[in-house]
Amino acid sequence: MKDTIIALLEEALSALQQQGELPQDIAPTIKVDPTKDKAHGDFATNLALMLAKPAGKKPRDLAEALVAALPASPAISKTEIAGPGFINFFAATDALAQVVSTILDTGDTYGRCLDGKGEKVQVEFVSANPTGPLHVGHGRGAAIGDSLCRLLEATGYDVTREFYYNDAGAQISNLARSVQSRAKGLTPDDPSWPEDGYRGDYIRDVAESYLAGDTVHADDRHVTGAADPDDLDAIRDFAVAYLRREQDLDLKAFGVAFDVYFLESSLYEEAKVESTVKTLIEGGHTYEQDGALWLRTTDFGDDKDRVMRKQDGGYTYFLPDVAYHLDKWQRGFTQVINEQGADHHSTVTRVRAGLQALETGIPNGWPDYVLHQMVLVTRSGVEVKLSKRAGSYVTLRDLIDEVGRDATRYFLAARRADSQLTFDIDLARSQSNDNPVYYIQYAHARVCSVLRKAAADDRDFQHDLALDNLALLDSDQEKALMNRLARYPEVVRIAAGNREPQQIAQYLQDLAADFHTCYNAVKVMVDDDAQRNARLALGIATRQVIRNGLDLLGVGAPEEM
RNA sequence: GCGCUCAUAGCUCAAUUGGAUAGAGCAACGGCCUUCUAAGCCGUAGGUUGCAGGUUCGAGUCCUGCUGGGCGCGCCA
């Protein structure tokens, strides 16, 4: 519909150029938008406003000229000039209803496109170190990251989901010492408990499992506990595997699966850190000072230079980060999106600067970042800070267990990443109209219910009869609903392009609202066969789009509530 | 102090990416079930979009400066 209008405007434009009414050298990108207000028709363009200046004409005069030059089209019932020079288009009812037929034909693929042309994109998200259960912040990253992947897949990209973790650094040593202490019978309250040791109950679970000689299977490793409290290396390997498995289970319960688990240790084992250092030194971007090796990241937009190699000879985390991203580039990912907590935003400039210093042709501004802000969890209006299992934070598992996967995913993905999020447990649990998840799912279930009713009455949906009578969908509510359905593919495209999965959540709420309004205003199961089937078709189309949209968020679409 | 980010109805959030009279839900009030699921719908009320400038036909949206919240500013990750 929109493309049709753009094509008509293009014709009008070139006609006016031929007549000399408009300069030849203007080639505007024509923008046609759905209107907010029905009084303004179904679509509107600001073309006359944009061209007024270059054409040296008044916007309204130009609009009139454009409308006069507009070819007739069966899809448009009326055009109007309004306000300062908008051109409003009123869609012919049967043209609008075409969307119902399109959705029925395309089903699960409605809203998908091939814009990405099969290009490879890597999305790195969650990337939690295996030192404890995933917390709410990881959950937000998982919800946003995975939805982003689904959006990119829906727009034609070849997506790789990647999880990066440090299995060898100082934090892991700390974990190993904590588990060892537990294995030796200490508790976090003992004076000899490691300083900065992990104190959560899960440390005890790991120690017990280790002592019992359990075998754990994580996504990328299998380890059996050596049961020897003095073997710190064995404890470390076991603890990492144990917590990796725990995170796997959390992610699985959340409906998120990764293609690649990338270990920081592999960068050392494969000498990628060494070769990165070498390249940076050879490029002349480093210097020695105070016994450390520095990278002059200020040459590439950082606000201060960064240490690469410490006085003790070890590398800072910054260097493996650069080596890791070089590896991503070398694996052929010209598009990489890193989804992280905004508390790590300082790495963005640093990593990009390090990559520029390599001078290997990586574009400035690569990779992309999506940063999410903090999550605050409340219950009964009071902040929840602790969980028994983790001690100092609320775990993702707690939320999934308490409010369910669908609501948790929806709530964590439904807000802009860059605004802080308050996760209201009471709201997420409530089965009422103030809970948007249920509101949307209920719309889906209602359509299913109508179809069950139709089957029970021996009035099953008749596809061909419905499609012949779509013009009967002519009430305001039905037209509003069809307009909404028609917008879906564009919403998917914009949400994917802007990396904003919350736009899907917002769209679904609007769609559900339009549906509920329609449902209350227009009875589907009427006696007239043509009328009834046309309305059933609209219901089925709505159900399909809700299902497609919820799938992009990783949220289920139940047939009954 | 510097950097990043956010600020919209009493509350939680939208606003088609610069468009027309800033919209939903909750909370408040008033209606709608002998009718396909009332987990729903309809209506009333609620606003100087934090403040001050600027850009232009047009700004919640872009720019500058303030104010306030969050995060960051390690040879931690």
Side-chain angles (χ1 to χ4, degrees), chain A residues 41-42 72 85 136 145 179 230-231 242 322 354 377 385 427 462 491 502 529 531:
Chain A
D42 298 300
V136 205
V179 172
D230 290 318
D231 189 343
Y242 186 101
V322 174
V377 179
K385 282 184 176 159
L427 177 62
Q462 296 167 264
V491 172
Q502 90 280 354
D529 287 342
Q531 186 78 263

Side-chain angles (χ1 to χ4, degrees), chain A residues 459 522-533 535:
Chain A
R459 287 172 155 187
V522 180
K523 187 167 165 69
V524 176
M525 294 304 292
V526 293
D527 289 333
D528 183 85
D529 287 342
Q531 186 78 263
R532 184 180 67 250
N533 276 285
R535 289 174 182 173

Side-chain angles (χ1 to χ4, degrees), chain A residues 42-108:
Chain A
D42 298 300
F43 294 91
T45 183
N46 60 355
L47 188 59
L49 293 168
M50 294 195 343
L51 292 184
K53 185 164 271 185
K57 290 177 183 298
K58 289 182 189 166
R60 284 197 71 111
D61 293 348
L62 191 54
E64 278 182 40
L66 279 166
V67 169
L70 217 51
S73 164
I76 305 297
S77 66
K78 189 170 64 155
T79 56
E80 276 180 4
I81 297 165
F86 291 99
I87 303 173
N88 296 332
F89 296 87
F90 292 76
T93 301
D94 49 350
L96 184 58
Q98 214 28 60
V99 70
V100 173
S101 154
T102 301
I103 294 168
L104 262 46
D105 285 348
T106 52
D108 290 344

